[in-house]
Amino acid sequence: ATLPLSAWAARSYPPQKRVQIESFQKAAQLIGVALGPAVNFFFYRLDLKAGRFELNALTMAGYFPAIMSLVMLLGFWFGVEEPPAQERPEVPPRRSEPVRRLTATG
């Protein structure tokens, strides 16, 4: 799931800013891998029924990441801006099509 973000950062930002965005993304991923399972500690005694939702340690293992993904989506939606067009790096034109290159070689 990190490749789309890396491709977007490489296409949208100059190299100085790209390093910052890539570093932030990798740090967030490592923190999630290290601390994500530990968050379940707070839910191990939870036993609650809220309407049609039953909240316990087993269901919160799915609900909590889904809620956090929604929070991250809203954070990116309202907190991240596309850089202005003049700051975007120029994409060099393609030299040749890959299929044509494969068929032209013997």
Side-chain angles (χ1 to χ4, degrees):
T2 62
L3 289 177
L5 179 62
S6 298
W8 171 77
R11 189 186 70 231
S12 302
Y13 287 97
Q16 315 82 278
K17 187 76 171 171
R18 194 178 315 151
V19 170
Q20 179 185 6
I21 290 175
E22 287 282 334
S23 298
F24 177 71
Q25 187 265 333
K26 294 295 182 192
Q29 183 182 18
L30 283 173
I31 289 170
V33 168
L35 297 181
V39 171
N40 205 26
F41 171 77
F42 297 106
F43 303 124
Y44 82 99
R45 297 186 110 185
L46 182 67
D47 190 18
L48 180 70
K49 189 156 177 102
R52 15 183 332 214
F53 296 103
E54 185 175 335
L55 304 176
N56 57 37
L58 297 175
T59 58
M60 287 304 292
Y63 288 147
F64 185 73
I67 292 168
M68 292 308 297
S69 293
L70 182 62
V71 168
M72 284 180 37
L73 173 67
L74 293 174
F76 273 100
W77 197 347
F78 294 112
V80 177
E81 295 179 19
E82 289 284 333
Q86 64 267 22
E87 290 184 21
R88 290 186 184 179
E90 287 295 321
V91 178
R94 298 174 94 174
R95 290 193 179 140
S96 66
E97 296 293 325
V99 174
R100 187 174 353 139
R101 180 178 271 182
L102 283 173
T103 57
T105 59

